Amino acid sequence: MEIIEIPLSELPVAVACCPVTGDLLVGCEKTLVLFTLRRQNHPNMTQQNIQTPLNTQQSSSQNQDPTSNQVGSFLDFERSVILHLPATKPEQVALCAGYIAIQADLEVLVLKLEADYKPNKLELEESLEKPVDDVAEDQADFLILPRDQELLGEQAKDCDIPVTIEKTGLEDKGQNTFAYVLFRRFTPDYLQGFSVEETRLHSLKLQPFFTSCQSLVEEPACVFCFFSLPTTGYLYSLKGRVELISIYQYPEKVLEAVLTDDLLHVITQNALQCFTVRCAAVAARFEDPYIDTTMKACPPWSLEVCAFRMQLFIGLRSLRVCGCHVILFSTADTETPEETERNAKRRGLILKEHTMLTGIFLAVGIDPTTTPALESLLSRTFVSRKWTMSSPKVTSTVGHGWNLYVVDTVPPLTLYKEMVEYSQQYAQNNQHFQSLWHLLSEAHLLLRAALLHSSQLQHYQSNGRPTESLPEEHLVIKTDRLKMEEAFRENCAQLGDCFSRGNQRHCHQALPYYRMSGLSVTDIMARNRPLSRTSPTYGPGFLFYLKHYLLEETDQQLSQEAADEVVDIFSQSEPSQLINACASPTMTNVNPTRTLQILQHLEDSVGVSVAMTITMATMLLRLDDLPQYTHLMERHAEMVLVYGFIEEPRVLLHSGGGGQQTNISATALTQQMAKSQPGLLVAAMVGLHENNKFQLEQVDHMFEVLGCENSLQVDFWEAMLMASSQEPVIQELLFRLSSIYIDRLMRTSTDKPGSASLVHKSLKSADDLINSCSHYGALYPWLTVLCPPQNNSLQHQEALHKMQSLLCGTSLSLASVMPLLESLSDKTLWGFSLHLLFATRKGQYGRSIEELLDRCPQAIIAYANHHLQDQYMDLWWQKLLPELCNRTRSGPANSILLAALKETLIVVAMETSPTKFLELIPDDGTASYFLPHLLTSSHKHLLS
């Protein structure tokens, strides 16, 4: 045992210890003094923080149990912070994880200590010099009642309680400040007969709450503040958003209350009562972001509290809770020592006032006994306001008949079973839905709090902590954790049943609770089967759950019996959902014959629709009835069918396992359409992509599964290029198509004209794409001269025209296609044409002219007529004319070059002046050849 003496300069009136850090808070009449727990080593006398309230997450070397025995070390406290409250007289204080709560007669104030602040000494001195807010002598006979007030969060700084911080720690170099968190003031209603004694606050407590992912030495996820009036209790949540969680209305006057994580224990003069708390509901929302979604659920913290049970005693005076034990003190005295002392003083004061007034009357010569009016006046009591406003005295130790009781609380599992048994009387009556839901929600929160406790135990053990130091109820929870988890799943199933049969307003809650129960859809269907087969009715919550289950992309498949039951459920309850149910991947094993009969009956009643037609066609495919399938698919036009696929895409693709690319699978309808209606399949895939039903990679994977990656997949890309308006998608498609076209050109370059090829015939020809897609440009006229269409196979010619068309357009990025062309040889004319188009797109006309004159001079005039226009017109005489002159002069007679030279001179003569034309004529004695063109230029010049 270690004894620590802490000297104080003022008389202490209250003390509190932080359950997280072990720090001490001592409340005096006008100040609060914070003492930080530290460990000191004997040899070096160095100090090491265990935890401070301003930073509760320390390093692993500091996260030690403060009570563990270590050789050569002992515990000590250092005074670190002093809070001055000149206008408040604390009666109770509380400390937890940096939060400080102060309770006066009718006020509660909660502050949060913070770090990294340098206090202003001048400001501190001025605040310390302020006069104490005492009652002035001339106002002693007046009663001033402040108004009832509640200030939460940042608004709490507007309260009229000044607080000043003074740092006194010698080794703690960090500076401290504080923030107002909560302020609550109560005012006695004298008009209703309430006195200050009946409105006096008590049982102030700050309660930390740890989640399953935290250790016992970390900062708690939630901190709650509880305080109580004799008839009402208040529970606030402090971390995050400050708000009132619960209000407790006691059936009779409460003397003392103790808050725990799962229960609130209160005592009256003759009874011990337990109330539910909402700490677990608040902590669950801090711990799990999926709470209150379709994945998980938890009863709201705004749920009304209720009393669990009551035990009668005689003369209860004090209450303490330690783990699963409730410790009670009682006395059989009819009047408490406090009341005896107070009444004695009151009688003495009344006698003193009566004697003093009688003496005054006798001194002036009036005998009050002879006057009935004066005698009646003296019989009244004139107890001063100071007496009624005085604080209660400390209970005297004088008395007899004191008793000590230790009561064990009911284990959570036992209490849960009692609540479930009690709820059976509400389960069969929908009119008691609210009572059933409330009772099951209380059981849910009870089990959730117990599971959080057991998770704390597991975290405690994983860090090497001894379990001998844990409270007894933690060891019990460890032993029964599996049973509690089973009970928790059972409770979720019960809540799911409650919401499945409840009203339409809360039916969506059935989905998350059924998911948390771990039950299969078959089990849930069995729990919701109607009792009467003649008039089956299903609750809206169950139908909501079933619809969401069928919408999920999962690899699980229902058996034929279960799938047929699903069809029956929707055909009887919601026929409009029957088509969506049949399209679910979980319904693969459904009986097609029976389902087709139900669909035909539904079609007869509601009429023909494209979704109904597609669903019935799917069932016919399962029956291998291709003629009837074809007849049904011919009911509607192609675009109408595409709209039907967009409405229900799962008839074509199943993306099991959360929609991942690797899990995409094609249905039987998709496989059949790939064989018989490839154009419809491609159009449907384009519609699904453009309506964000599937990603591009998912559709690609589907074509790979079908074995159509070199046929329908390319058709899909070409169709996507016509439909898409997203620039990143367009560039990706252009690159993919360029790769495919070049690959086809290389594979078909050796094919002979008219030979059969293994390449699939495209749905769109080059002319179709040029006429319908702006990304494909019209082929330049000189390409026909350069690459005659009779030189290769039809498939090769088609791929060449599509690639040339992309290069003739303006959408294809040259940087992306450059690596593809660099790997392509230009020895062939079709390869040379692609390289020439690339150079032309880059503006390299001079180089292109030279290469074209070398490889195919017959196409030079067509090339020049198309490209050497406007700002490039001068290339006719600056580049093309000199090249033709040099080549005709140095080489043998070439009719192609001479014809090209003649065409070039005609253009030059028309576009240049006679003087400019003379400068272009070479001086090698061939001027006579150019004279006719010079005359043409002169004649044109004269006319202009």
Side-chain angles (χ1 to χ4, degrees):
M1 181 175 65
E2 299 182 30
I3 299 176
I4 304 173
E5 293 186 2
I6 302 176
L8 297 173
S9 59
E10 299 181 60
L11 178 66
V13 296
V15 66
C17 179
C18 177
V20 180
T21 64
D23 297 344
L24 288 179
L25 179 67
V26 179
C28 302
E29 287 196 1
K30 297 297 180 182
T31 59
L32 299 178
V33 186
L34 178 65
F35 294 91
T36 304
L37 178 64
R38 298 184 181 275
R39 183 180 301 281
Q40 294 186 355
N41 297 321
H42 278 292
N44 301 326
M45 293 303 292
T46 60
Q47 293 186 349
Q48 181 183 17
N49 283 334
I50 298 301
Q51 278 186 330
T52 67
L54 306 179
N55 186 9
T56 58
Q57 297 182 1
Q58 301 291 335
S59 62
S60 58
S61 62
Q62 294 174 332
N63 290 337
Q64 305 178 32
D65 188 354
T67 61
S68 61
N69 295 325
Q70 294 187 358
V71 179
S73 64
F74 63 94
L75 300 180
D76 195 6
F77 290 92
E78 178 191 1
R79 187 177 66 174
S80 60
V81 175
I82 297 178
L83 295 176
H84 297 269
L85 297 90
T88 304
K89 296 181 180 180
E91 292 185 357
Q92 275 189 302
V93 294
L95 175 66
C96 179
Y99 288 92
I100 293 178
I102 308 106
Q103 172 193 309
D105 282 343
L106 302 173
E107 297 172 337
V108 172
L109 176 64
V110 180
L111 307 173
K112 179 68 168 70
L113 289 180
E114 298 175 352
D116 300 330
Y117 173 76
K118 188 174 182 180
N120 191 332
K121 295 183 179 180
L122 179 61
E123 196 176 70
L124 174 62
E125 294 174 357
E126 292 178 355
S127 62
L128 294 178
E129 293 175 358
K130 292 181 180 180
V132 179
D133 187 16
D134 290 333
V135 179
E137 292 295 333
D138 56 348
Q139 298 180 353
D141 294 332
F142 295 94
L143 182 60
I144 302 176
L145 296 178
R147 62 186 177 91
D148 193 90
Q149 195 173 20
E150 181 188 48
L151 300 175
L152 305 178
E154 296 182 356
Q155 296 179 353
K157 64 183 179 181
D158 298 331
C159 68
D160 54 359
I161 298 182
V163 181
T164 307
I165 191 168
E166 176 186 357
K167 183 181 177 301
T168 61
L170 299 178
E171 297 188 7
D172 189 4
K173 298 181 180 180
Q175 303 296 336
N176 303 326
T177 185
F178 65 91
Y180 289 89
V181 177
L182 168 66
F183 176 73
R184 186 66 190 265
R185 173 186 288 144
F186 299 91
T187 302
D189 190 355
Y190 290 102
L191 298 178
Q192 299 295 331
F194 297 137
S195 64
V196 175
E197 296 297 333
E198 294 174 337
T199 321
R200 188 175 300 281
L201 292 167
H202 62 79
S203 303
L204 176 68
K205 185 174 184 181
L206 292 176
Q207 178 75 11
F209 201 102
F210 295 87
T211 60
S212 57
C213 59
Q214 291 183 309
S215 67
L216 294 176
V217 295
E218 292 179 334
E219 184 176 355
C222 306
V223 178
F224 301 92
C225 178
F226 176 81
F227 50 86
S228 181
L229 296 171
T231 58
T232 311
Y234 299 88
L235 178 63
Y236 286 86
S237 175
L238 301 182
K239 294 201 69 174
R241 179 182 177 184
V242 182
E243 54 189 330
L244 178 63
I245 300 300
S246 302
I247 297 178
Y248 295 87
Q249 299 290 345
Y250 307 130
E252 54 182 319
K253 183 178 179 180
V254 167
L255 303 179
E256 192 172 4
V258 175
L259 176 70
T260 63
D261 287 342
D262 46 8
L263 290 175
L264 174 68
H265 303 272
V266 301
I267 57 171
T268 63
Q269 189 171 359
N270 296 313
L272 166 66
Q273 298 181 15
C274 298
F275 293 85
T276 57
V277 297
R278 301 288 170 255
C279 298
V282 178
R285 288 164 172 82
F286 271 90
E287 180 189 33
D288 196 339
Y290 291 101
I291 290 293
D292 300 327
T293 64
T294 58
M295 300 299 298
K296 297 180 182 179
C298 180
W301 50 259
S302 57
L303 188 68
E304 292 184 1
V305 297
C306 61
F308 269 156
R309 61 183 64 214
M310 179 177 66
Q311 293 174 272
L312 299 179
F313 293 88
I314 298 176
L316 289 179
R317 293 293 177 263
S318 184
L319 165 70
R320 295 292 181 272
V321 177
C322 180
C324 61
H325 305 298
V326 179
I327 305 169
L328 304 170
F329 288 93
S330 69
T331 178
D333 292 345
T334 58
E335 189 177 49
T336 63
E338 178 184 354
E339 293 172 345
T340 303
E341 180 183 1
R342 188 178 304 168
N343 291 336
K345 290 187 176 182
R346 185 177 181 88
R347 287 191 294 269
L349 182 59
I350 293 173
L351 180 60
K352 181 178 179 182
E353 290 181 349
H354 187 275
T355 304
M356 181 182 63
L357 291 175
T358 303
I360 293 174
F361 281 112
L362 292 174
V364 296
I366 300 175
D367 186 1
T369 57
T370 60
T371 307
L374 292 177
E375 188 175 5
S376 175
L377 178 65
L378 292 176
S379 64
R380 301 178 184 178
T381 58
F382 294 90
V383 182
S384 66
R385 181 179 59 84
K386 290 185 177 181
W387 167 257
T388 58
M389 291 293 291
S390 63
S391 301
K393 303 298 180 179
V394 179
T395 304
S396 173
T397 57
V398 179
H400 59 84
W402 284 94
N403 297 311
L404 170 68
Y405 300 94
V406 178
V407 181
D408 288 342
T409 57
V410 179
L413 276 176
T414 304
L415 190 55
Y416 164 74
K417 293 177 181 178
E418 293 180 6
M419 299 172 72
V420 171
E421 182 179 357
Y422 186 73
S423 67
Q424 296 303 315
Q425 59 181 320
Y426 302 117
Q428 303 302 328
N429 193 341
N430 289 336
Q431 295 181 354
H432 295 103
F433 164 78
Q434 195 69 20
S435 299
L436 177 62
W437 167 69
H438 197 163
L439 193 57
L440 293 177
S441 297
E442 295 291 359
H444 183 93
L445 294 177
L446 183 71
L447 291 174
R448 187 179 285 273
L451 287 172
L452 287 174
H453 287 184
S454 61
S455 299
Q456 282 295 300
L457 173 66
Q458 290 180 348
H459 192 96
Y460 193 79
Q461 288 179 317
S462 65
N463 291 338
R465 309 282 178 156
T467 57
E468 291 78 5
S469 60
L470 291 175
E472 182 180 346
E473 81 278 6
H474 280 176
L475 300 179
V476 175
I477 290 176
K478 175 191 176 184
T479 306
D480 296 340
R481 178 172 177 82
L482 294 178
K483 294 182 180 179
M484 281 194 301
E485 289 178 348
E486 181 181 357
F488 184 79
R489 290 190 293 269
E490 178 187 352
N491 172 261
C492 291
Q494 292 167 348
L495 279 169
D497 295 340
C498 177
F499 286 110
S500 68
R501 295 186 293 266
N503 52 38
Q504 188 73 29
R505 179 181 178 185
H506 302 285
C507 67
H508 64 280
Q509 290 288 334
L511 176 61
Y513 280 113
Y514 273 143
R515 281 176 169 171
M516 294 166 62
S517 69
L519 295 176
S520 64
V521 64
T522 307
D523 296 334
I524 295 174
M525 288 166 58
R527 298 171 71 100
N528 287 273
R529 287 194 183 104
L531 299 178
S532 175
R533 291 183 176 270
T534 57
S535 58
T537 56
Y538 297 90
F542 169 67
L543 294 176
F544 182 84
Y545 162 79
L546 195 56
K547 284 185 287 187
H548 272 263
Y549 173 81
L550 296 176
L551 286 174
E552 292 179 357
E553 298 293 348
T554 176
D555 297 331
Q556 299 178 358
Q557 294 181 357
L558 296 176
S559 63
Q560 180 177 344
E561 181 181 0
D564 291 342
E565 184 178 357
V566 170
V567 172
D568 291 338
I569 290 173
F570 283 109
S571 63
Q572 296 165 6
S573 301
E574 292 190 32
S576 61
Q577 296 294 325
L578 187 57
I579 296 175
N580 295 333
C582 293
S584 174
T586 61
M587 300 284 287
T588 305
N589 298 323
V590 70
N591 188 334
T593 304
R594 184 172 178 273
T595 305
L596 186 60
Q597 294 175 354
I598 296 175
L599 290 173
Q600 288 175 342
H601 178 73
L602 180 62
E603 186 181 57
D604 294 338
S605 60
V606 301
V608 178
S609 67
V610 61
M612 182 73 71
T613 300
I614 294 173
T615 307
M616 294 173 64
T618 303
M619 296 301 162
L620 288 171
L621 278 180
R622 296 184 185 181
L623 295 173
D624 294 330
D625 191 350
L626 292 181
Q628 189 64 24
Y629 160 80
T630 305
H631 174 70
L632 281 178
M633 294 297 286
E634 291 176 351
R635 278 184 177 180
H636 307 281
E638 182 176 292
M639 286 309 301
V640 176
L641 291 174
V642 170
Y643 292 139
F645 294 135
I646 294 174
E647 181 181 350
E648 184 47 78
R650 292 180 299 171
V651 298
L652 294 180
L653 293 180
H654 290 164
S655 55
Q660 298 179 0
Q661 173 188 348
T662 55
N663 292 327
I664 288 291
S665 61
T667 63
L669 180 61
T670 304
Q671 297 173 6
Q672 178 61 32
M673 289 171 58
K675 299 176 184 177
S676 60
Q677 296 172 291
L680 176 59
L681 178 60
V682 170
M685 292 298 106
V686 172
L688 293 177
H689 179 274
E690 289 303 295
N691 286 272
N692 298 322
K693 300 296 183 180
F694 292 99
Q695 300 298 322
L696 188 62
E697 291 76 12
Q698 293 176 313
V699 181
D700 289 341
H701 182 75
M702 183 271 293
F703 283 117
E704 293 174 3
V705 172
L706 293 175
C708 306
E709 59 270 22
N710 290 324
S711 54
L712 290 181
Q713 185 178 23
V714 181
D715 294 330
F716 167 71
W717 291 345
E718 292 174 346
M720 276 294 302
L721 199 58
M722 291 188 289
S724 180
S725 59
Q726 304 175 23
E727 186 61 27
V729 175
I730 292 174
Q731 291 301 323
E732 175 66 21
L733 292 172
L734 288 172
F735 176 77
R736 292 184 182 186
L737 289 172
S738 300
S739 303
I740 288 293
Y741 296 154
I742 291 176
D743 180 69
R744 287 182 177 180
L745 287 170
M746 297 177 66
R747 287 190 292 108
T748 59
S749 59
T750 57
D751 293 345
K752 295 181 180 180
S755 64
S757 178
L758 297 178
V759 178
H760 166 76
K761 183 179 180 180
S762 301
L763 296 176
K764 294 286 186 181
S765 65
D767 293 336
D768 296 334
L769 293 175
I770 292 172
N771 295 328
S772 59
C773 183
S774 61
H775 304 293
Y776 288 86
L779 295 178
Y780 301 148
W782 57 269
L783 288 172
T784 306
V785 182
L786 183 64
C787 302
Q790 295 81 11
N791 291 344
N792 295 99
S793 64
L794 295 177
Q795 290 80 9
H796 178 90
Q797 196 68 28
E798 191 71 22
L800 178 61
H801 285 175
K802 289 181 179 180
M803 188 64 214
Q804 289 175 341
S805 177
L806 286 181
L807 289 172
C808 291
T810 58
S811 300
L812 180 64
S813 173
L814 297 180
S816 64
V817 78
M818 181 184 296
L820 300 176
L821 293 178
E822 288 178 350
S823 62
L824 182 65
S825 173
D826 61 349
K827 294 181 179 181
T828 61
L829 280 180
W830 61 266
F832 170 68
S833 69
L834 298 181
H835 282 277
L836 192 62
L837 283 171
F838 180 79
T840 302
R841 279 281 305 273
K842 293 179 65 176
Q844 300 174 355
Y845 295 108
R847 173 188 168 187
S848 300
I849 290 172
E850 294 177 1
E851 293 179 350
L852 195 56
L853 288 174
D854 291 338
R855 299 289 298 271
C856 187
Q858 61 268 28
I860 188 62
I861 296 302
Y863 179 89
N865 284 330
H866 189 82
H867 296 291
L868 302 186
Q869 303 295 329
D870 300 329
Q871 69 267 29
Y872 301 107
M873 180 63 71
D874 55 353
L875 290 177
W876 282 90
W877 51 85
Q878 292 182 2
K879 182 65 180 178
L880 182 57
L881 180 60
E883 284 288 337
L884 289 174
C885 291
N886 293 334
R887 290 174 187 270
T888 56
R889 182 187 305 113
S890 59
N894 191 324
S895 59
I896 297 177
L897 291 177
L898 289 174
L901 178 59
K902 183 178 180 180
E903 292 292 335
T904 303
L905 288 174
I906 293 175
V907 173
V908 172
M910 294 298 294
E911 297 295 333
T912 59
S913 63
T915 306
K916 181 66 177 178
F917 190 84
L918 281 173
E919 295 177 357
L920 296 174
I921 296 176
D923 55 355
D924 55 354
T926 59
S928 59
Y929 181 81
F930 298 96
L931 285 178
H933 301 285
L934 177 60
L935 293 175
T936 302
S937 176
S938 301
H939 181 68
K940 172 184 172 296
H941 181 70
L942 290 173
L943 292 177
S944 62

